[in-house]
């Protein structure tokens, strides 16, 4: 890290998406709860905070189903900070949903988002010169995506939030006259959307600065694919596999695996990789540049898709009848390294991983991932156990797609897995024992990076699961309680970090040893 590869230090961190914070307004955001969480991380000697994509969400409120790969989610903007900055009053935000309970995206969209839009209006009407100058600087620095994203959001609202391909053809196909008409008729709305992105930028930048002060770095998530109903596909249809009507020809997913017998049909349009390569991967360069402006390190979701991706005919209802298609991963990462230098990437290399995928990851010195929950079935699963780890690796007890460790132990393990875990770790006399045993195993391992989901830190069961892959609803809503950050959890983690050398402590340079060569001092030679 520090500008080099991500595997140079032995550190630990916590996986918690921002929406899971107990913030005011019904959904986790960049407000006081986020700062309290960073304080908890520092007290627990956790040096990394892993978040899921911060993009504006579309279908199902999934951070992996985003309306833009570049924009920030407006719902993550803190109302308290808007009040503190003078863009809203306390009376504006009184009566909104409180801090407790699951994230309520629908209520936040209906009640919180209009207040954020009102704050943006107030900014446009009366922002002082210094704030306007910062806004102009932000707009200029993000000119490659900001105006198109604002146009997409305004038109999406105008046409009843249907997917862009259902808009009138002149708007779906971005005809010049239609775009000019929108600029002339909706200039105020477009400006509001850009100011909202500026609010996101200012608040996230302030939170990141707070993290830096407490020696916490952000590990962010970049999904390999983008949603069909997104500003990205609407703005750049030429780089995706679309037909003449701009409908997907083939879509993304994964074959049958641990999570689903029919695979997962994600439905994202696939890239025209050959065209992107001819263009110097310009869109990917822009995307990574944006990600590096948001995060210190980047986890590449579905890394195996950069070597070969599962291509499913768009008319198929499941992922069963897809085929593997080679991707120009070496050429892409070579280009990114030319632009950005050493790549601070973590490769999510779970699933069906071939020697070619391993070679691609190792060639660019990216740490891969191991998940302890996967390690206790047959011998083939033992690559997820510590005896098979190497330092250039990130170990998780579980990920956002897994059950919590306590939920997994209680509900998802069979007799053989339980017996293997008892043998490998220690006698598990009580359910809660398994959580700390797994955390301890991850921290003790040789993997340089160790990530623990917040649900495991709090010893929570399956009621706290973040996501069940292939489930149609009920995902992404977990939030921890307002008073959940008990100091005992921080003390327990801090002690473990010290004993496993993950607390960020650097040994002092040894004092130089003076070499004395005088024969008189050493006595006669023998």
């Amino acid at each position: 890290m520090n500008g080099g590869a991500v595997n140079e230090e032995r550190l630990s961190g916590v996986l918690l998406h921002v929406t899971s914070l107990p913030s005011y307004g019904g959904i986790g955001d960049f407000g006081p709860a986020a700062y309290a969480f960073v304080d908890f991380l520092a007290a627990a000697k956790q040096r990394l905070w892993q978040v899921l994509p911060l993009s504006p969400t579309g279908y199902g409120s999934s951070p992996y189903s985003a309306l833009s790969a570049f924009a920030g989610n407006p719902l993550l903007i803190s109302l308290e900070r808007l009040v503190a900055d003078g863009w809203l009053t306390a009376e504006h935000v009184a009566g909104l949903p409180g801090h407790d309970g699951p994230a309520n995206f629908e209520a936040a969209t209906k009640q919180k988002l209009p207040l954020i839009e009102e704050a943006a209006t107030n900014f446009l009407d009366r922002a002082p010169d210094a704030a306007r100058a910062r806004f102009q600087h932000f707009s200029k620095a993000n000119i490659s995506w900001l105006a198109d994203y604002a146009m997409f959001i305004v038109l999406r609202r105008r046409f009843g939030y249907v997917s862009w391909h259902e808009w009138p053809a002149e708007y779906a196909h971005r005809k010049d006259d239609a775009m000019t008409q929108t600029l002339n008729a909706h200039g105020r709305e477009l400006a509001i959307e850009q100011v909202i992105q500026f609010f996101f930028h200012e608040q996230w930048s302030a939170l990141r600065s707070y993290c830096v002060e407490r020696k916490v770095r952000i590990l962010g998530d970049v999904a390999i694919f983008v949603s069909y109903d997104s500003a990205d596909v609407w703005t750049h249809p030429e780089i995706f596999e679309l037909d003449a009507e701009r409908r997907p020809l083939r879509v993304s997913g994964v074959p049958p695996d641990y999570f689903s017998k029919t695979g997962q049909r994600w439905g994202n349009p696939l890239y025209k990789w050959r065209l992107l390569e001819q263009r110097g991967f310009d869109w990917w360069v822009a995307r990574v540049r944006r990600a590096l402006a948001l995060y210190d390190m980047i986890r590449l979701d579905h890394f195996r898709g950069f070597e070969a991706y599962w291509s499913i005919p768009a008319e198929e209802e499941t992922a069963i009848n897809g085929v593997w298609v080679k991707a120009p991963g070496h050429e892409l990462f070579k280009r990114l390294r030319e632009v950005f230098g050493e790549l601070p990437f973590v490769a999510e290399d779970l699933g069906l991983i071939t020697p070619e995928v391993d070679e691609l990851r190792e060639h660019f010195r990216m740490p891969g991932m191991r998940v302890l929950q996967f390690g206790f079935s047959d011998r083939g699963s033992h690559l997820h156990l510590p005896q098979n780890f190497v330092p250039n690796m990130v170990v998780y007890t579980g990920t956002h797609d897994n059950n919590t460790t306590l939920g997994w132990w209680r509900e998802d393990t069979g007799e053989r897995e339980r017996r293997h875990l008892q043998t490998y770790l220690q006698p598990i006399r009580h359910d809660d024992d398994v959580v700390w045993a797994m955390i301890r195993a991850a921290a003790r391992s040789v993997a340089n990076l160790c990530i623990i989901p917040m649900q495991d830190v709090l010893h929570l069961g399956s009621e706290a699961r973040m996501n069940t892959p292939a489930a149609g609803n009920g995902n992404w809503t977990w939030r921890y309680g307002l008073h959940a950050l008990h100091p005992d959890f921080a003390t327990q983690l801090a002690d473990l970090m010290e004993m496993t050398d993950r607390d960020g402590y650097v040994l002092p340079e040894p004092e130089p040893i003076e070499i004395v060569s005088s024969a008189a001092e050493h006595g006669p030679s023998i």
Side-chain angles (χ1 to χ4, degrees):
M1 303 198 289
N2 299 323
V6 301
N7 59 329
E8 295 173 354
E9 300 176 69
R10 185 170 169 82
L11 303 174
S12 180
V14 171
L15 167 59
L16 178 84
H17 193 38
V18 177
T19 59
S20 295
L21 292 162
S23 303
Y24 179 70
I27 182 175
D29 60 32
F30 301 148
Y35 288 79
F37 177 67
V38 176
D39 288 339
F40 174 84
L41 291 177
K45 299 192 175 180
Q46 301 299 298
R47 304 304 180 195
L48 299 172
W49 176 7
Q50 181 178 341
V51 297
L52 305 184
L54 301 179
S55 310
T57 56
Y59 173 76
S61 300
S62 168
Y64 296 94
S65 179
L67 299 175
S68 168
F70 292 79
N73 187 347
L75 295 181
L76 301 183
I77 296 170
S78 164
L79 296 176
E80 291 102 318
R81 294 188 70 84
L82 291 179
V83 171
D85 291 340
W87 309 124
L88 293 174
T89 67
E91 289 73 22
H92 277 110
V93 301
L96 288 179
H99 302 268
D100 293 322
N104 191 329
F105 296 96
E106 183 177 358
T109 300
K110 290 180 179 179
Q111 300 177 50
K112 180 178 180 178
L113 189 56
L115 292 174
I116 296 171
E117 293 168 349
E118 184 173 348
T121 299
N122 293 333
F123 179 94
L124 290 171
D125 290 341
R126 52 183 173 82
D129 290 345
R132 289 186 184 276
R134 295 198 309 274
F135 172 57
Q136 292 300 325
H137 177 77
F138 166 79
S139 300
K140 184 177 180 180
N142 294 279
I143 192 172
S144 64
W145 63 268
L146 184 59
D148 286 319
Y149 167 76
M151 182 81 74
F152 176 80
I153 294 299
V154 168
L155 290 174
R156 191 170 183 267
R157 183 163 54 234
R158 177 182 175 186
F159 296 123
Y161 300 97
V162 299
S163 180
W164 63 265
H165 74 274
E166 298 181 43
W167 300 350
E170 62 269 27
Y171 294 96
H173 290 214
R174 295 173 56 89
K175 299 298 184 182
D176 289 345
D177 288 348
M179 297 298 96
T180 300
Q181 185 274 335
T182 303
L183 284 170
N184 293 334
H186 300 277
R188 180 77 166 180
E189 290 179 72
L190 293 169
I192 286 172
E193 293 301 329
Q194 295 190 37
V195 171
I196 289 173
Q197 289 300 306
F198 172 65
F199 286 161
F200 177 98
H201 164 77
E202 291 245 299
Q203 292 194 6
W204 179 241
S205 297
L207 182 57
R208 283 192 67 193
S209 295
Y210 193 80
C211 289
V212 170
E213 293 172 4
R214 280 145 187 81
K215 299 181 180 179
V216 173
R217 281 169 272 189
I218 303 294
L219 171 57
D221 211 334
V222 169
I224 180 174
F225 300 115
V226 299
S227 298
Y228 176 61
D229 184 22
S230 68
D232 311 290
V233 180
W234 177 67
T235 305
H236 303 287
E238 73 280 0
I239 68 172
F240 298 94
E241 291 193 28
L242 309 178
D243 63 17
E245 299 300 318
R246 300 191 177 180
R247 300 289 188 99
L249 292 168
R250 284 163 289 275
V251 297
S252 66
V254 290
D257 61 7
Y258 173 88
F259 292 112
S260 174
K261 293 180 179 179
T262 58
Q264 298 177 48
R265 184 190 183 278
W266 297 333
N268 313 84
L270 300 174
Y271 299 107
K272 290 182 179 177
W273 280 114
R274 182 173 297 180
L275 174 64
L276 282 169
E277 185 174 1
Q278 292 170 354
R279 290 168 37 163
F281 299 103
D282 54 351
W283 185 87
W284 268 100
V285 168
R287 189 180 185 189
V288 170
R289 178 174 287 112
R290 173 62 174 159
L292 290 173
L294 294 172
Y295 314 122
D296 300 298
M297 300 158 53
I298 296 170
R299 172 189 176 272
L300 295 174
D301 189 57
H302 193 57
F303 176 80
R304 90 83 70 245
F306 291 105
E307 193 282 324
Y309 53 90
W310 192 244
S311 175
I312 308 165
E315 63 273 14
E316 291 286 336
E317 295 182 359
T318 73
I320 293 176
N321 293 322
V323 295
W324 290 110
V325 179
K326 285 290 184 180
H330 271 277
E331 293 78 7
L332 171 64
F333 293 124
K334 179 182 178 182
R335 174 60 179 154
L336 294 176
R337 192 165 59 183
E338 289 172 354
V339 176
F340 301 109
E342 194 72 42
L343 301 174
F345 292 163
V346 168
E348 186 271 289
D349 57 345
L350 305 176
L352 181 59
I353 302 303
T354 64
E356 291 82 3
V357 178
D358 286 333
E359 187 278 330
L360 176 64
R361 177 182 61 77
E362 292 168 1
H363 182 85
F364 291 95
R365 301 181 58 222
M366 300 180 200
M369 285 176 50
R370 294 295 181 265
V371 181
L372 290 184
Q373 285 187 23
F374 293 159
F376 297 97
S377 56
D378 56 25
R379 183 176 291 271
S381 71
H382 290 180
L383 78 161
H384 291 281
L385 294 181
Q387 73 267 16
N388 293 311
F389 292 178
V390 296
N392 190 28
M393 190 168 284
V394 188
V395 57
Y396 292 75
T397 53
T399 74
H400 66 275
D401 285 331
N402 292 91
N403 203 340
T404 69
T405 293
L406 185 57
W408 166 77
W409 171 255
R410 287 174 172 172
E411 302 170 17
D412 299 341
T413 54
E415 181 180 347
R416 181 172 63 172
E417 285 179 293
R418 284 173 168 255
R419 186 175 69 253
H420 289 174
L421 190 145
Q422 292 270 12
T423 300
Y424 193 85
L425 296 178
Q426 64 180 36
I428 305 298
R429 297 181 176 86
H430 307 285
D431 283 357
D432 283 351
D433 292 345
V434 71
V435 181
W436 187 243
M438 293 276 276
I439 292 174
R440 207 166 47 233
R444 287 172 172 172
S445 76
V446 298
N448 279 345
L449 301 183
C450 168
I451 304 291
I452 308 163
M454 189 61 182
Q455 295 94 320
D456 288 354
V457 173
L458 300 177
H459 287 56
L460 298 178
S462 58
E463 74 282 355
R465 183 168 185 165
M466 189 61 167
N467 180 49
T468 303
N473 50 52
N475 291 324
W476 316 112
T477 62
W478 175 73
R479 293 200 296 170
Y480 68 78
L482 184 61
H483 304 292
L485 300 183
H486 196 282
D488 287 352
F489 290 123
T491 299
Q492 190 178 33
L493 280 176
D495 290 344
L496 180 61
M497 296 308 108
E498 288 183 14
M499 291 305 299
T500 56
D501 302 321
R502 295 187 183 276
D503 58 348
Y505 177 76
V506 179
L507 290 172
E509 291 292 329
E511 292 293 329
I513 300 174
E514 184 179 358
I515 305 299
V516 180
S517 59
S518 169
E521 293 182 64
H522 286 284
S525 299
I526 298 177

